Amino acid sequence: MKLITAIIRETQLNQVHEELIHAEIERITVSRVSGHGRQKREEIYRGQVVVPSLIPKIKIEIAVNDAFVDQTIDAIIRGAKTEGDNVGDGKIFVTNLEQCIRIRTSEKGSEAI
Ligand SMILES: Nc1ncnc2c1ncn2[C@@H]1O[C@H](COP(=O)(O)OP(=O)(O)OP(=O)(O)O)[C@@H](O)[C@H]1O
Ligand SMILES: [Mg+2]
């Protein structure tokens, strides 16, 4: 099992969500966060040039079985990438997930995910 964490633009949330649903990835946690990447070039946020400072972003967390990792990543990229070559489109982190337990049934592991 893997935990896929993606940091994306606020503006891309609906598109990413739609792509995930199309890819049959239906379990998701979404949070509002702020952060910055390497800000070598200035980034545009709501029409303003923003120099290194914390920018509102969306964090998406999805726990999946190993067989679903690639399609999840592909769906996130399809939804999150903006046209052209723009800094600030976001990043995806993949980490090993030790355990998952469905509270209602006490099922564990890939059954529970
Ligand atoms: N190494 C990192 N650790 C933690 N969070 C990060 C890291 N890199 C990026 N992020 C988060 O992802 C958001 C988007 O990052 P961003 O797309 O600007 O990455 P980048 O490495 O600067 O790439 P780019 O050159 O495309 O802008 C940041 O605002 C931050 O919240
Ligand atoms: Mg950046």
Side-chain angles (χ1 to χ4, degrees), residues 7-8 33-41 43 55 57 85-91 93:
I7 313 292
I8 61 165
V33 296
S34 61
H36 61 73
R38 45 161 201 182
Q39 305 294 348
K40 287 192 178 141
R41 284 188 274 162
E43 187 174 332
I55 296 173
K57 296 280 177 181
D85 173 30
N86 304 307
V87 298
D89 270 356
K91 211 166 258 184
F93 305 103

